Amino acid sequence: MKKVYLSVLFSISCIFVIVSEIHAEAPDTKFPTGVCKSNCTANEGVICLERGPCEPPNDALENAARECREGGPSMYEPVTKLTFLDIFSQVLRIDRDLPGAIDQLSYKQRYELESRLLAEKGINIFAGTNPEDSFTREELITTLKSVNIEDDLGLSTGLQNQSFNLHNEKLVVYSPVLYVDEGRGFELWQRKENFRQSLGDEKHYVAKIDDCNNARIVFGDNQNGKIPDVGARLKAGYKIMGRQDDIVTKCEIVMLLSNPAITKSLKDKYNPARPLTKANFADLLIEAMHLQKRMPPDYANLAPEKLYLLQTELLSKNGINIFDGSRSSDLITREELARVLYNYPVVEMIGASNGKENQRFELNNAGFAIYDLHAYVNEGAKDEEWVKRTNFIESSSLSKDYVVKLDLGNYASIYFGNGKQGKIPEQNSPIKVAYRLYSPLALLTEDDIMCVLGKLVPVAEAYEPPPPPFDFDPPTDGFDDPATHI
């Protein structure tokens, strides 16, 4: 997932609260009444704006986060319905249903369109409203109340009195549940106010909030409350209602809709994408390769298994053989996707040099691992391939070198030198790259690959399927190991 780190200033009033059945810390715990942990003070906090494979940047969210970082009205003034809807629509990936000319619409037309699309997803509170009105606490609660947040808490260490923080970012949570998988599948454990009456083998836990409204799950010590087995997987579920303030600010929306657990749950509730089964992938390929006209006229009315058979036969004739011997319900693997993409290397212009030091150019690799990377700079005569290096330590001022770096979301960027270590491309020199796509780190839904399928075109001639990527000869430059360089 792509992460853009933005320091955000928040004035957080740290108060002693009791939310539903989640109990505040007792005075004798490590968070005494009235004392806040350091991350609850003002002028602290880092927001990670995450972008998954094939997900376009959420410009409205990034702009709002920058405003929060800078302080000012965003910290205390109500957020407008328009701003919330612009951010929220992108989080739900409503962009899939928006026309290509969305940028040409006025803000009122955009708001009306987004309102209608959300109404089709079951959120009806925006239709017919004024986009410049404030987004109210009641409207936020209405939007969130039917969403169950699923939060992966990690693994048990097997130690006494383990504590796991929920990723609630000081937002008020309620109705928590906890599931523990000790090797026999997830099992619901029972929530208690404390462990005073719990026996050593009883599967109990306590849910607490500290003075700064950070929620956490606490386990026992095998005398009062069972300790989850070492390595047991822990998963929490809860609902969320935002903050306790009357006003919903832009900064609260940024904190809420930059939380991965919350945004995933919102999307799964209101706009889920199809999983990447072989049947769904075949559908996507038929559409991407414009092969619908080669299907029977009544193909939409065929039984699923009959349709899958016809689609895979057609794809095989056009060079896609990954479906041979598979079931429609099988999931696509990373290697199978890489085999499909192998014959479609990416060649793209990524910009022009501004003549300055340490220039950075992001590739349009959509969060996919890449290999066979080549970079070319045209300083007046022709495209000239520059040399990929691990760093600029041994580069001279004339060395035509570049460095490739991956962020945490696997989005790749090319960096040039500073003129002392690594030559600076001459001003206005076009920068071009060529590379092959492998796959995202994890293949979950069709959203993760939609943006690269437009690179596929029908193949008329017979096709010899390439070996899987891990059998490719190591490239002379670019990434050395496409299967693991992620």
Side-chain angles (χ1 to χ4, degrees), residues 27-276:
D28 60 350
T29 63
K30 64 179 180 179
F31 303 124
T33 302
V35 178
C36 296
K37 293 189 295 183
S38 61
N39 67 358
C40 189
T41 61
N43 303 333
E44 288 208 350
V46 173
I47 285 182
C48 304
L49 304 185
E50 299 193 352
R51 178 153 58 108
C54 279
E55 183 178 355
N58 192 329
D59 294 332
L61 180 58
E62 291 187 14
N63 291 336
R66 289 189 186 94
E67 292 181 23
C68 291
R69 176 191 60 190
E70 296 166 358
S74 297
M75 299 174 63
Y76 53 81
E77 288 185 354
V79 66
T80 65
K81 286 181 169 62
L82 175 64
T83 298
F84 175 80
L85 210 57
D86 282 342
I87 296 173
F88 190 61
S89 297
Q90 179 65 51
V91 166
L92 296 188
R93 294 302 307 273
I94 301 298
D95 60 283
R96 291 180 298 183
D97 304 314
L98 293 175
I102 184 67
D103 293 337
Q104 300 177 16
L105 299 179
S106 69
Y107 76 90
K108 290 185 177 180
Q109 291 173 321
R110 185 178 73 250
Y111 180 80
E112 181 179 353
L113 178 58
E114 291 174 341
S115 299
R116 177 171 57 80
L117 292 173
L118 284 179
E120 295 174 359
K121 308 295 183 184
I123 303 175
N124 302 299
I125 60 177
F126 298 101
T129 60
N130 183 349
E132 299 180 81
D133 285 347
S134 298
F135 184 57
T136 67
R137 177 65 58 192
E138 292 74 18
E139 289 168 331
L140 179 59
I141 292 174
T142 298
T143 303
L144 297 175
K145 68 181 180 181
S146 63
V147 179
N148 294 305
I149 310 301
E150 291 190 1
D151 197 347
D152 183 4
L153 301 182
L155 304 176
S156 169
T157 63
L159 300 177
Q160 298 179 355
N161 305 314
Q162 294 177 79
S163 177
F164 294 85
N165 290 328
L166 302 184
H167 302 128
N168 66 308
E169 306 290 357
K170 307 178 185 67
L171 303 166
V172 177
V173 302
Y174 62 101
S175 300
V177 292
L178 179 74
Y179 300 91
V180 179
D181 180 4
E182 296 181 297
R184 298 174 295 276
F186 280 107
E187 180 182 359
L188 179 66
W189 283 35
Q190 188 175 0
R191 178 161 48 97
K192 295 293 183 180
E193 183 174 346
N194 55 59
F195 293 113
R196 294 190 187 110
Q197 304 298 320
S198 299
L199 300 179
D201 61 348
E202 289 188 301
K203 297 177 179 180
H204 295 167
Y205 71 95
V206 174
K208 297 183 178 182
I209 56 172
D210 63 25
D211 293 347
C212 303
N213 210 21
N214 293 302
R216 60 194 181 97
I217 298 294
V218 180
F219 291 102
D221 57 7
N222 272 356
Q223 295 183 9
N224 297 100
K226 185 182 186 300
I227 298 174
D229 293 346
V230 176
R233 297 161 59 199
L234 311 175
K235 180 174 68 175
Y238 52 88
K239 291 181 178 291
I240 200 159
M241 60 180 293
R243 296 209 174 127
Q244 292 192 311
D245 306 325
D246 293 334
I247 293 175
V248 180
T249 66
K250 188 178 293 187
C251 292
E252 177 181 348
I253 297 304
V254 168
M255 186 68 81
L256 177 74
L257 296 183
S258 63
N259 183 309
I262 294 174
T263 56
K264 180 183 183 302
S265 300
L266 285 167
K267 183 179 172 184
D268 289 346
K269 169 66 178 177
Y270 291 119
N271 196 28
R274 296 190 302 173
L276 270 176

Side-chain angles (χ1 to χ4, degrees), residues 395-459:
S395 300
S396 71
S397 61
L398 299 178
S399 298
K400 296 181 177 181
D401 297 340
Y402 66 94
V403 170
V404 180
K405 295 182 181 180
L406 300 172
D407 67 10
L408 293 177
N410 210 39
Y411 283 73
S413 294
I414 282 181
Y415 291 80
F416 292 100
N418 59 12
K420 297 178 181 178
Q421 292 179 301
K423 186 181 187 296
I424 298 174
E426 293 183 10
Q427 188 168 359
N428 298 322
S429 299
I431 313 296
K432 183 173 71 175
V433 293
Y435 54 88
R436 280 188 169 90
L437 295 168
Y438 184 75
S439 78
L441 177 61
L443 297 176
L444 300 176
T445 71
E446 60 186 18
D447 281 353
D448 297 330
I449 65 170
M450 286 291 290
C451 65
V452 303
L453 294 184
K455 304 178 188 300
L456 306 181
V457 295
V459 182

Side-chain angles (χ1 to χ4, degrees), residues 348-352 360-364 375 414 416 430-433 435:
E348 63 181 359
M349 299 295 300
I350 57 174
R360 169 183 174 271
F361 297 89
E362 183 174 286
L363 307 186
N364 295 316
I414 282 181
F416 292 100
I431 313 296
K432 183 173 71 175
V433 293
Y435 54 88

